[in-house]
Amino acid sequence: MNELVHLSRKYLSGTASEAEKSELLQWYNAYDEEELTAYLQADQDETEEALEARMLLRLQETNYIGGRQKIHFLRRRSVQVAASLLLVCAIGGGWLFTRNHPEKKLVAQSNLPTLILDDGSELTLDTAKKGILSRQGSTSIVQSLTKLSYRQQGNEVSATIHYNTLRTPKGGQFTLVLPDGTTVWLNAASSIRFPTAFTGHERNVSITGEAYFEVAAVASQPFTVTTGSTTVRVLGTRFNVKAYEDESQTATTLIQGAVLVNGQQLLPGEQAIVTGSSPVINKHADVATAIAWKNGLFSFKDADIATVMRELVRWYDVKVVYPEGIPEGTFSGDLSRSLSIGQLASLMETTRIHMRLSDEGRSIIVTSR
């Protein structure tokens, strides 16, 4: 099972080889729709290892006889669907597989990203637009679909530095290229404030919510990210900062390079958790889970129901109601963000958690079964 999940993650992140794509599709085509659902839910107490053994045996029976490939006709299905299917979630020990149906995801589509200029004026970023949106000093602001780039014109920097803020709505993400070439991926319900040109001895930005950074290396200008009580200082590196106001802590996860979090150094694969001022360092962080959102996934590891629901609220822009209190239990696994809220509710029905939509899909009622 771990290998299948690994393959699906690689495909959805764009790193799977052609051979791996073929393997993923071969596995998927070994099952028909009804058989797959019944097969995976046959025994909810089954261990992961036993489930994997059953699946591999079924694949072998379907595709091979005595080590030689059996020739048969397969329904043509896309690798994308196969990858979405393989995003496995485990709730209370029960394994579920989800299919990527054409049902639309319930998101407030009218809430587009907003760029707030230095003078307070706001530009709504229609994701179908391309071209120059504005000029501030010697910097041009250029949009290309879901990416915004700040381009310095010539070598002269304006004496007046303008500050802009990019804000994403619930259910939306956006990419920003800063004047120094640093790329920032902004998660849903997040914001970043930054100058239109970096001058002086430092490059300073501040964020709310969650953002993934690939910082351009400029040795003479350290890069600093500030959020609440956390300050991350780098030269050139890749890292993720999660600092939503409704979370009790700020988490900084380092993927590459080195950073200082409130003065303490992180190495690749480590995570700093800040609840007050002094960070607690996790030297064996789950990096894949920390940056899963950037690759189009929800990813949880022993997360309680309240944590899971906070993620869903940010993405689907819904309200959550617990009429009987928050149910107990933990959730581990991956889900595609392309699933609709209705599909997620249906998945929960096969677990110990009951999730019902109300108010025309704008609210989720969550109870224990």
Side-chain angles (χ1 to χ4, degrees), residues 114-123 136:
T114 302
L115 179 65
I116 305 171
L117 302 179
D118 194 62
D119 61 3
S121 59
E122 298 187 4
L123 300 177
Q136 296 205 312

Short mmCIF file of all heavy atoms in Angstrom, two decimals, residues 114-123 136:
data_model
loop_
_atom_site.label_atom_id
_atom_site.label_comp_id
_atom_site.label_asym_id
_atom_site.label_seq_id
_atom_site.Cartn_x
_atom_site.Cartn_y
_atom_site.Cartn_z
N THR A 114 -6.86 38.81 -4.27
CA THR A 114 -6.88 40.27 -4.31
C THR A 114 -5.48 40.82 -4.08
O THR A 114 -4.76 40.37 -3.18
CB THR A 114 -7.81 40.83 -3.22
OG1 THR A 114 -9.13 40.30 -3.42
CG2 THR A 114 -7.88 42.35 -3.28
N LEU A 115 -5.09 41.79 -4.90
CA LEU A 115 -3.83 42.50 -4.72
C LEU A 115 -4.14 43.89 -4.20
O LEU A 115 -4.88 44.65 -4.83
CB LEU A 115 -3.07 42.59 -6.04
CG LEU A 115 -1.72 43.34 -5.98
CD1 LEU A 115 -0.73 42.59 -5.10
CD2 LEU A 115 -1.16 43.55 -7.37
N ILE A 116 -3.60 44.22 -3.04
CA ILE A 116 -3.81 45.53 -2.42
C ILE A 116 -2.55 46.37 -2.64
O ILE A 116 -1.47 46.01 -2.17
CB ILE A 116 -4.12 45.40 -0.93
CG1 ILE A 116 -5.32 44.46 -0.72
CG2 ILE A 116 -4.41 46.76 -0.32
CD1 ILE A 116 -5.57 44.10 0.72
N LEU A 117 -2.71 47.47 -3.37
CA LEU A 117 -1.57 48.32 -3.69
C LEU A 117 -1.23 49.25 -2.53
O LEU A 117 -1.97 49.33 -1.54
CB LEU A 117 -1.86 49.12 -4.96
CG LEU A 117 -2.17 48.28 -6.21
CD1 LEU A 117 -2.46 49.19 -7.40
CD2 LEU A 117 -1.03 47.32 -6.53
N ASP A 118 -0.12 49.96 -2.67
CA ASP A 118 0.38 50.81 -1.60
C ASP A 118 -0.60 51.92 -1.22
O ASP A 118 -0.67 52.33 -0.06
CB ASP A 118 1.72 51.42 -2.03
CG ASP A 118 2.47 52.03 -0.87
OD1 ASP A 118 2.83 51.28 0.05
OD2 ASP A 118 2.69 53.26 -0.87
N ASP A 119 -1.38 52.38 -2.18
CA ASP A 119 -2.33 53.47 -1.90
C ASP A 119 -3.66 52.98 -1.37
O ASP A 119 -4.60 53.75 -1.18
CB ASP A 119 -2.55 54.31 -3.17
CG ASP A 119 -3.14 53.49 -4.31
OD1 ASP A 119 -3.44 52.29 -4.12
OD2 ASP A 119 -3.30 54.05 -5.42
N GLY A 120 -3.77 51.65 -1.13
CA GLY A 120 -4.99 51.08 -0.58
C GLY A 120 -5.98 50.59 -1.62
O GLY A 120 -6.97 49.94 -1.27
N SER A 121 -5.73 50.87 -2.90
CA SER A 121 -6.63 50.39 -3.94
C SER A 121 -6.46 48.88 -4.11
O SER A 121 -5.38 48.33 -3.86
CB SER A 121 -6.34 51.10 -5.26
OG SER A 121 -5.01 50.88 -5.69
N GLU A 122 -7.54 48.21 -4.51
CA GLU A 122 -7.54 46.76 -4.63
C GLU A 122 -7.78 46.33 -6.06
O GLU A 122 -8.64 46.87 -6.76
CB GLU A 122 -8.61 46.15 -3.72
CG GLU A 122 -8.38 46.43 -2.24
CD GLU A 122 -9.35 45.69 -1.33
OE1 GLU A 122 -10.16 44.89 -1.86
OE2 GLU A 122 -9.29 45.89 -0.11
N LEU A 123 -7.00 45.31 -6.49
CA LEU A 123 -7.17 44.72 -7.81
C LEU A 123 -7.58 43.27 -7.64
O LEU A 123 -6.91 42.49 -6.96
CB LEU A 123 -5.85 44.79 -8.61
CG LEU A 123 -5.25 46.17 -8.88
CD1 LEU A 123 -3.92 46.01 -9.61
CD2 LEU A 123 -6.21 47.00 -9.71
N GLN A 136 4.56 50.32 -10.37
CA GLN A 136 4.81 51.06 -9.14
C GLN A 136 6.30 51.39 -9.09
O GLN A 136 7.15 50.49 -8.96
CB GLN A 136 4.40 50.24 -7.91
CG GLN A 136 2.89 49.96 -7.88
CD GLN A 136 2.38 49.73 -6.50
OE1 GLN A 136 2.94 48.96 -5.74
NE2 GLN A 136 1.29 50.40 -6.15
#
